[in-house]
C-alpha cells in the first residue's frame, strides 16, 4: 500500500509517478475522502479533549465539595456523540484504505517508461560458457537438425498431457519415470544452490493461506479472480488464539507463489535490525487460475494452472534493498549458467511491472522451437509496499520502528526450466542430454532416451 503520509504531503508527485505506470489516480475522490477524514477526526479529537476537560472539572468540583451535577450531565451526553463520530471515522478510513489497496506501487525513478513488454529494455544476455555475456543481439546457434518443441520430445520420455487432461483438465501435466525424476532433480538442485552458496534458509510452507495474508502481500483484492479458492466439507472446528479467544473465520486460497508465505512470515512483526537481511527460499507448487493468452501458451507447460517454483525472498533494511535486487538477479542467473541455458536479463518498463513492484528484472531463457526468449524468472523490489500492508517493521539504531523492504524472485520456475532444458538439450535421436550439474541428482544418468 502507498504511504498515506506521502499521499497527503506530495500528492502531485504520487499522481505523476502513477501516470508513468499508465494509472490515472482519482485526485478528486482522494481529496474528498481526505477532507471528510480530517473533518471528522478534528471533531472527534475536540470532543475527546472536551470529555477529558469535563472529567477533570468534575473531579475538582467534587474535591471541593461543590455540586457537579450540571457538569456531569454535560459529560454524560458525550459518549454517544463520540461513538457516532468514531464509527463515522472508521468507515471513512475503511473506504480510503480499501481503495488504496487497489492502487499499485510507485515505480522507482530508474524504471524506463513504457506501455507494455515491447518497451522493456534488455540489460545483457548470456549465450553459454564459450560465448559468455554478449552486448549485441546474437542468439544461440541453431542445431544441426530440426528442433521439436518440448511437448513432442517430452511425450516420448514420460511427459503425459493426455493423462493430466483425463485426471483434471487442460493446463495440467503428468510426468512419469525419468521425466518426473528430472523435474524433481531441478528443484533439488536449485534449493541446494541457494542454501549452500547464496545464503538462503530453506523453508517448508503451507500451500493454503487465509485472505489477510493475501491482502498483505498484494494478491487481494485486485487478483482474486486469478486465485484458486479453497472450500472445506463438513463442520469446521472453532479456532482460538493462544489466549483462547475465538478467531474469525477467513476465506482460504491456494498459493500462487511461495513469495506469499515467505514474505508474510514477518506479518505484524518488529524484526530486530541486527537480524537483517532475512533470506528465505522454498520449493512449492503454485496454483493460478488465470486464463492466459491463446495460441502457443496453451500448448505444453509454458502457462499452467499448477506448476512448481523455487522462490527466493529477501527482507532487508531500506538502505540496502537495491543492492539486494541486483544480488538476487545474480542468484537466479547462476542457476541458468550452471545448467548452461542461454538467457537474457530484461528490465521491465513501468507498464509491464507487477502490482507491488517498484523495479523488476525478468530473466528470459532461450526456447529453440519457438525461436524466442521466454520468461523464466521475475525478480522485484517492492520497497515498503508489502511491508506497510503486512505491518512488517524493524527497529533501527535509534530504537524507532520503520517499515522493512521486501524483495522476491523466482529461482527458478521449475516447469519452465524443464521446458528450456528439454528443448536446448534435445538430441537428433529424440533423447535429452542431462546437464552435468544435474547428473548427481539423477543418480549419474547422463541421458533420457525414448523407450524402444
Amino acid at each position: 500500500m502507498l504511504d498515506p503520509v506521502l499521499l497527503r504531503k506530495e500528492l502531485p508527485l504520487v499522481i505523476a509517478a502513477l501516470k508513468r505506470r499508465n494509472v490515472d489516480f482519482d485526485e478528486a475522490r482522494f481529496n474528498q475522502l481526505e477532507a471528510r477524514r480530517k473533518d471528522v477526526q478534528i471533531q472527534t479529537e475536540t470532543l475527546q479533549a472536551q470529555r477529558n476537560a469535563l472529567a477533570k472539572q468534575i473531579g475538582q468540583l467534587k474535591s471541593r465539595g461543590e455540586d457537579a451535577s450540571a457538569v456531569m450531565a454535560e459529560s454524560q451526553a458525550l459518549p454517544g456523540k463520540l461513538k457516532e463520530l468514531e464509527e463515522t471515522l472508521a468507515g471513512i478510513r475503511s473506504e480510503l484504505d480499501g481503495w488504496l489497496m487497489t492502487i499499485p506501487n510507485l515505480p522507482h525513478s530508474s524504471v524506463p517508461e513504457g506501455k507494455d513488454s515491447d518497451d522493456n529494455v534488455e540489460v545483457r544476455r548470456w549465450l553459454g560458457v564459450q560465448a559468455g555475456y554478449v552486448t549485441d543481439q546474437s542468439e544461440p546457434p541453431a542445431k544441426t537438425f530440426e528442433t521439436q518443441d518440448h511437448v513432442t520430445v517430452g511425450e516420448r520420455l514420460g511427459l503425459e498431457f493426455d493423462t493430466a487432461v483425463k485426471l483434471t483438465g487442460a493446463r495440467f501435466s503428468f510426468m512419469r519415470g525419468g521425466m518426473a525424476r528430472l523435474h524433481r532433480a531441478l528443484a533439488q538442485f536449485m534449493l541446494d544452490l541457494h542454501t549452500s552458496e547464496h545464503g538462503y534458509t530453506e523453508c517448508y510452507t503451507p500451500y493454503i493461506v487465509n485472505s489477510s495474508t493475501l491482502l498483505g502481500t498484494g494478491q487481494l483484492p485486485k487478483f482474486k479472480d486469478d486465485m484458486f479458492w479453497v472450500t472445506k466439507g463438513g463442520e469446521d472446528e472453532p479456532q482460538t488464539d493462544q489466549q483462547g479467544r475465538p478467531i474469525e473465520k477467513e476465506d482460504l486460497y491456494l498459493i500462487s507463489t511461495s513469495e506469499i508465505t515467505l514474505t508474510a512470515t514477518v506479518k505484524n512483526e518488529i524484526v530486530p535490525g541486527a537480524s537483517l537481511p532475512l533470506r528465505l527460499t522454498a520449493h512449492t507448487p503454485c496454483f493460478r487460475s488465470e486464463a492466459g493468452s491463446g495460441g502457443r501458451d496453451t500448448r505444453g507447460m509454458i502457462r499452467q494452472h499448477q506448476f512448481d517454483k523455487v522462490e527466493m525472498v529477501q527482507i532487508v533494511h531500506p538502505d540496502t534493498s537495491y543492492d539486494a535486487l541486483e544480488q538476487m538477479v545474480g542468484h537466479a542467473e547462476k542457476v541458468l549458467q550452471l545448467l548452461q541455458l542461454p538467457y537474457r536479463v530484461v528490465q521491465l518498463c513501468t507498464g509491464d511491472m507487477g502490482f507491488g513492484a517498484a523495479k523488476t528484472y525478468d530473466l528470459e531463457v532461450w526456447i529453440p522451437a519457438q525461436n524466442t526468449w521466454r520468461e523464466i524468472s521475475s525478480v522485484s523490489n517492492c520497497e515498503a509496499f508489502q511491508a506497510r500492508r503486512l505491518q512488517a517493521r524493524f527497529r533501527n539504531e535509534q530504537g524507532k520502528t520503520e517499515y522493512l523492504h521486501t524483495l522476491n524472485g523466482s529461482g527458478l520456475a521449475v516447469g519452465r526450466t524443464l521446458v528450456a532444458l528439454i528443448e536446448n538439450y534435445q538430441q537428433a535421436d529424440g533423447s535429452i542430454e542431462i546437464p552435468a550439474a544435474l547428473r548427481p541428482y539423477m543418480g549419474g544418468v547422463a541421458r533420457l532416451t525414448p523407450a524402444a
Side-chain angles (χ1 to χ4, degrees):
M1 190 167 73
L2 300 181
D3 184 356
V5 175
L6 185 65
L7 280 161
R8 292 167 192 152
K9 293 184 176 181
E10 301 287 351
L11 186 56
L13 181 151
V14 173
I15 292 172
L18 289 172
K19 193 72 174 177
R20 293 185 66 225
R21 291 197 66 149
N22 308 311
V23 174
D24 291 321
F25 186 80
D26 192 339
E27 182 178 4
R29 182 184 178 187
F30 176 78
N31 286 334
Q32 182 184 43
L33 283 169
E34 182 62 12
R36 286 173 57 203
R37 181 198 64 79
K38 287 173 68 175
D39 179 56
V40 176
Q41 187 165 319
I42 289 170
Q43 291 183 55
T44 302
E45 291 170 351
T46 300
L47 211 57
Q48 287 171 339
Q50 185 180 350
R51 178 193 59 190
N52 295 339
L54 288 173
K56 184 177 180 181
Q57 187 178 353
I58 290 168
Q60 291 172 343
L61 288 170
K62 286 185 175 181
S63 68
R64 296 196 299 266
E66 298 177 17
D67 182 15
S69 56
V71 181
M72 289 176 65
E74 184 181 356
S75 176
Q76 287 167 359
L78 296 184
K81 295 179 182 178
L82 260 177
K83 183 179 180 182
E84 184 179 337
L85 282 171
E86 287 168 352
E87 288 176 351
T88 301
L89 183 60
I92 296 169
R93 284 174 170 164
S94 178
E95 182 181 353
L96 184 58
D97 288 348
W99 174 41
L100 293 180
M101 282 285 191
T102 68
I103 306 298
N105 202 357
L106 305 183
H108 188 265
S109 59
S110 65
V111 176
E113 192 165 342
K115 291 184 177 181
D116 52 36
S117 59
D118 291 338
D119 296 320
N120 294 339
V121 177
E122 182 174 325
V123 178
R124 57 184 173 272
R125 59 178 60 183
W126 189 89
L127 300 184
V129 170
Q130 300 302 321
Y133 291 110
V134 296
T135 55
D136 56 22
Q137 299 299 305
S138 299
E139 294 175 353
K143 292 185 178 295
T144 57
F145 56 90
E146 183 180 356
T147 54
Q148 298 175 315
D149 71 5
H150 70 282
V151 177
T152 303
V153 177
E155 284 181 332
R156 296 192 292 262
L157 297 167
L159 187 54
E160 303 178 10
F161 292 105
D162 288 344
T163 302
V165 169
K166 178 175 66 175
L167 294 173
T168 309
R171 299 206 179 191
F172 290 87
S173 58
F174 185 97
M175 302 177 210
R176 196 187 301 267
M179 186 62 65
R181 184 172 186 177
L182 182 56
H183 184 267
R184 171 166 58 92
L186 281 167
Q188 291 180 319
F189 162 70
M190 294 173 193
L191 280 176
D192 284 352
L193 177 65
H194 295 318
T195 54
S196 64
E197 294 190 24
H198 298 155
Y200 291 82
T201 298
E202 182 176 352
C203 302
Y204 174 83
T205 88
Y207 302 159
I208 298 174
V209 292
N210 55 38
S211 55
S212 60
T213 296
L214 292 169
L215 280 166
T217 52
Q219 279 71 29
L220 292 182
K222 187 173 178 62
F223 301 106
K224 183 175 182 178
D225 290 339
D226 291 340
M227 307 289 295
F228 279 102
W229 310 345
V230 179
T231 58
K232 182 179 181 296
E235 292 293 328
D236 287 337
E237 294 183 5
Q239 294 188 4
T240 58
D241 61 18
Q242 291 181 343
Q243 285 73 43
R245 295 172 298 201
I247 299 174
E248 185 178 347
K249 184 179 177 181
E250 294 186 61
D251 292 335
L252 298 175
Y253 300 80
L254 291 170
I255 60 171
S256 54
T257 165
S258 59
E259 167 206 335
I260 295 164
T261 44
L262 296 176
T263 304
T265 56
V266 291
K267 179 171 67 171
N268 298 325
E269 298 281 343
I270 299 177
V271 178
S275 69
L276 299 175
L278 303 178
R279 298 189 183 101
L280 307 174
T281 187
H283 165 224
T284 68
C286 305
F287 305 89
R288 297 184 185 177
S289 65
E290 57 187 338
S293 57
R296 66 189 182 188
D297 281 354
T298 62
R299 176 174 167 82
M301 296 182 67
I302 291 294
R303 189 180 296 275
Q304 295 202 303
H305 292 313
Q306 176 186 320
F307 58 96
D308 279 41
K309 185 151 64 87
V310 171
E311 186 73 6
M312 304 178 294
V313 161
Q314 289 204 29
I315 298 163
V316 305
H317 190 289
D319 292 347
T320 65
S321 65
Y322 280 94
D323 289 337
L325 177 64
E326 301 296 330
Q327 180 189 66
M328 289 177 71
V329 172
H331 293 163
E333 287 185 82
K334 188 66 174 179
V335 178
L336 292 167
Q337 290 176 6
L338 289 173
L339 293 176
Q340 288 289 292
L341 291 172
Y343 68 89
R344 65 177 187 172
V345 179
V346 175
Q347 184 178 352
L348 300 196
C349 70
T350 53
D352 198 35
M353 288 197 305
F355 178 76
K359 184 174 182 177
T360 298
Y361 292 103
D362 273 5
L363 274 67
E364 297 178 348
V365 70
W366 180 250
I367 304 296
Q370 295 182 4
N371 196 41
T372 193
W373 306 91
R374 298 305 303 267
E375 178 200 336
I376 197 168
S377 174
S378 190
V379 186
S380 298
N381 184 358
C382 297
E383 297 186 354
F385 187 81
Q386 292 177 316
R388 189 171 288 108
R389 297 165 73 113
L390 289 163
Q391 287 300 296
R393 295 162 292 170
F394 73 101
R395 201 171 296 281
N396 62 25
E397 293 179 354
Q398 290 72 41
K400 295 182 179 180
T401 57
E402 294 182 47
Y403 287 111
L404 294 155
H405 278 197
T406 63
L407 302 95
N408 63 80
S410 308
L412 306 165
V414 180
R416 289 195 177 192
T417 308
L418 182 65
V419 168
L421 193 153
I422 291 170
E423 296 208 6
N424 283 279
Y425 280 88
Q426 63 179 287
Q427 305 299 307
D429 62 359
S431 64
I432 300 172
E433 183 185 351
I434 305 299
L438 282 184
R439 292 177 189 176
Y441 298 88
M442 294 288 293
V445 173
R447 190 179 294 260
L448 291 186
T449 306

